[in-house]
């Protein structure tokens, strides 16, 4: 039986939204950059690509994947937009793997893009007053005090912290370590092979290459994190701050997925084999504790246990999410987010899944191989996970 494999995987460096290096770079431009680089590194002819599947979020509609295909002259490649919010990038890879394994497609580019800085603002007419509401965001679930649509600090961070019993000190310590790990990874050059540079103009108007994640903070301390105000002081005991939350970010990631038979026949090096993927739904108020559930589903169907997994990427939408997962699944924290994650590298929503898988595959390669899981919660009470082997 054939397997779905990844033969190349790239990402941009992650920019800080609205004030960072990618603030004036559109989603379409970012998508074209990573799709082109992924195809070039794969060694396949662009004309042989069957489909481009990219996650997008807060982009206002359209299909960035098709835009990239046409811009790159791959007119034969269709384009699909996937929206599972934060987990969209992981789902895009699952869609690609399924099509490959079914024998319906041969070569697919999958990943995600998020240009938060360039996101359009939508409007909706109020059915009572007839007036147009500015900056309307389509709801993913019915709004409630326990799970407000537009405040993930409550829906995800605070609710997870309460359910699992996490303290402010524990979450701050996780975030602090996340930054330290990301800085170490940058300084050691661990991200060099996975990042494709983006030409941008700096504050002085000079054209430069953006190729280093700019969100990780140097010189931070636990004391500084402890001094930050909580996001909801009116809520007794509230412990979520900007410091133990992910950032608002811009980035894109893409990988080429094909079958192991095609890869070998074409003499392409296999970066990783996709062993499984899945998603779940959960009560929206429990979004932040969804990772253990989606991981159990994934590993059960793959016939594995947590002890079989060498490395984990569990997105830090808030530090509470991986902390809750580690505590619930009894994971060794030294195997989770070894090069940082959302609190430090950043969380470019629909690009995060592709970024995580790219980093995970490269880190497993650096360590001599093994199984790895990338998992994350997603808006509206969802979660996604992908299992790879190097």
């Amino acid at each position: 039986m054939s397997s779905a494999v990844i033969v190349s995987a790239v990402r941009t460096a992650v920019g800080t939204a609205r004030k960072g290096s990618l603030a004036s770079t559109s989603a379409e431009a970012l998508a074209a950059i990573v799709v082109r680089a992924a195809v070039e590194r794969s060694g396949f002819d662009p004309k042989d690509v069957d489909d481009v599947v990219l996650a997008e979020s807060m982009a206002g509609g359209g299909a960035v994947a098709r835009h990239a295909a046409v811009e790159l002259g791959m007119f034969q490649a269709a384009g699909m937009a996937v929206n599972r919010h934060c987990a969209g990038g992981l789902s895009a890879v699952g869609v690609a793997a399924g099509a490959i394994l079914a024998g319906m497609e041969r070569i697919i580019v999958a990943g995600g893009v998020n240009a938060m800085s360039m996101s359009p603002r939508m409007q909706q007419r109020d059915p009572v007053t007839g007036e147009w509401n500015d900056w309307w965001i389509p709801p993913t679930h019915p709004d409630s005090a326990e799970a407000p649509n537009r405040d993930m600090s409550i829906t995800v961070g605070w609710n997870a912290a309460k359910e699992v019993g996490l303290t402010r000190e524990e979450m701050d310590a996780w975030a602090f370590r996340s930054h330290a790990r990301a800085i170490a990874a940058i300084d050691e050059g661990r991200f060099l092979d996975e990042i494709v540079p983006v030409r941008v103009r700096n504050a002085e108007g000079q054209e430069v290459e953006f190729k280093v994640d700019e969100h990780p903070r140097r010189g931070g301390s636990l004391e500084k994190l402890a001094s930050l105000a909580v996001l909801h002081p009116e809520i007794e005991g509230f412990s979520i701050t900007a410091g133990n939350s992910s950032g608002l970010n811009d980035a894109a990631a893409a990988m080429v997925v094909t079958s192991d038979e095609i890869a070998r026949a074409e003499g392409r090096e296999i970066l990783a084999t996709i062993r499984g993927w899945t998603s779940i739904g959960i009560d929206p108020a429990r979004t932040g504790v969804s990772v253990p559930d989606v991981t159990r589903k994934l590993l059960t169907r793959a016939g594995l246990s947590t002890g079989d997994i060498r490395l984990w990427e569990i997105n830090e939408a808030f530090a509470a999410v991986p902390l809750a997962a580690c505590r619930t699944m009894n994971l060794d924290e030294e195997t989770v987010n070894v090069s940082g994650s959302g609190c430090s590298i950043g969380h470019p929503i629909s690009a995060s899944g592709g970024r995580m898988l790219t980093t995970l595959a490269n880190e497993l390669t650096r360590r001599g191989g093994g199984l790895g899981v990338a998992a994350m919660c997603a808006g509206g009470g969802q979660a996604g996970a992908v299992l790879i082997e190097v």
Side-chain angles (χ1 to χ4, degrees):
M1 180 178 177
S2 65
S3 299
V5 299
I6 300 167
V7 294
S8 69
V10 301
R11 68 176 180 95
T12 67
V14 178
T16 300
R18 303 192 181 102
K19 58 183 179 181
S21 298
L22 297 179
S24 297
T25 306
S26 69
E28 291 79 10
L30 290 174
I33 288 167
V34 293
V35 170
R36 177 188 289 110
V39 175
E40 287 178 351
R41 293 191 187 189
S42 75
F44 287 122
D45 190 318
K47 294 180 181 179
D48 291 333
V49 174
D50 294 305
D51 204 353
V52 180
V53 183
L54 296 180
E56 55 183 81
S57 182
M58 308 293 288
V64 175
R66 177 57 182 166
H67 191 288
V70 172
E71 183 174 345
L72 300 176
M74 300 190 302
F75 301 113
Q76 82 292 340
M80 178 188 294
V82 174
N83 188 350
R84 189 166 268 138
H85 297 313
C86 306
L90 296 181
S91 294
V93 173
V95 168
I100 295 297
L101 289 176
M104 294 296 99
E105 307 292 3
R106 299 179 74 252
I107 302 169
I108 298 176
V109 181
V113 58
N114 190 73
M116 178 65 75
S117 300
M118 296 287 288
S119 293
R121 291 188 177 185
M122 291 179 279
Q123 296 178 318
Q124 186 185 54
R125 186 178 62 83
D126 188 306
V128 177
T129 66
E131 296 180 353
W132 289 90
N133 295 318
D134 261 341
W135 209 357
W136 174 74
I137 298 176
T140 303
H141 64 274
D143 202 29
S144 69
E146 296 76 22
N149 260 299
R150 295 181 64 171
D151 195 339
M152 296 298 103
S153 71
I154 295 175
T155 304
V156 179
W158 176 230
N159 287 355
K162 286 193 300 180
E163 179 167 333
V164 182
L166 303 174
T167 66
R168 162 79 180 268
E169 291 74 22
E170 288 175 316
M171 291 184 285
D172 283 353
W174 183 286
F176 178 71
R177 185 175 60 184
S178 179
H179 282 276
R181 288 179 171 181
I183 292 297
I186 291 170
D187 291 348
E188 293 170 15
R190 281 185 248 157
F191 298 147
L192 289 177
D193 290 341
E194 65 191 55
I195 291 179
V196 55
V198 180
R199 301 292 297 182
V200 298
R201 291 196 178 277
N202 61 20
E204 290 73 38
Q206 301 169 319
E207 191 173 77
V208 298
E209 282 191 336
F210 174 57
K211 55 185 179 181
V212 179
D213 298 316
E214 64 187 3
H215 197 69
R217 292 188 296 273
R218 296 178 184 270
S221 68
L222 286 172
E223 290 73 22
K224 287 182 180 179
L225 286 174
S227 71
L228 297 177
V230 298
L231 299 179
H232 284 286
E234 76 281 3
I235 298 177
E236 184 178 356
F238 201 82
S239 54
I240 308 301
T241 72
N244 55 41
S245 307
S246 62
L248 296 176
N249 301 97
D250 305 313
M255 57 195 64
V256 173
V257 181
T258 187
S259 71
D260 60 333
E261 296 170 346
I262 292 173
R264 292 192 179 97
E266 297 289 333
R268 309 303 175 202
E269 184 176 352
I270 294 174
L271 176 61
T273 300
I274 302 169
R275 292 300 187 195
W277 63 93
T278 194
S279 58
I280 64 161
I282 196 170
D283 182 338
R286 302 186 66 241
T287 300
V289 294
S290 59
V291 167
D293 287 352
V294 76
T295 300
R296 290 191 192 100
K297 179 181 176 183
L298 175 71
L299 295 182
T300 296
R301 294 189 175 182
L304 299 169
S305 67
T306 55
D308 296 313
I309 308 305
R310 185 169 190 182
L311 290 178
W312 301 81
E313 285 279 336
I314 301 176
N315 185 46
E316 297 164 358
F318 297 86
V321 177
L323 263 171
C326 286
R327 185 163 298 180
T328 303
M329 296 190 290
N330 194 29
L331 302 182
D332 178 359
E333 294 182 5
E334 294 304 311
T335 67
V336 181
N337 301 346
V338 297
S339 297
S341 185
C343 287
S344 53
I345 296 173
H347 178 25
I349 309 182
S350 43
S352 286
R355 197 284 303 164
M356 291 163 61
L357 282 172
T358 299
T359 301
L360 180 61
N362 281 306
E363 186 61 27
L364 283 168
T365 299
R366 197 173 72 87
R367 296 181 181 221
L371 293 167
V373 168
M376 60 205 308
C377 64
Q382 305 177 89
V386 172
L387 169 69
I388 63 172
E389 182 174 10
V390 172

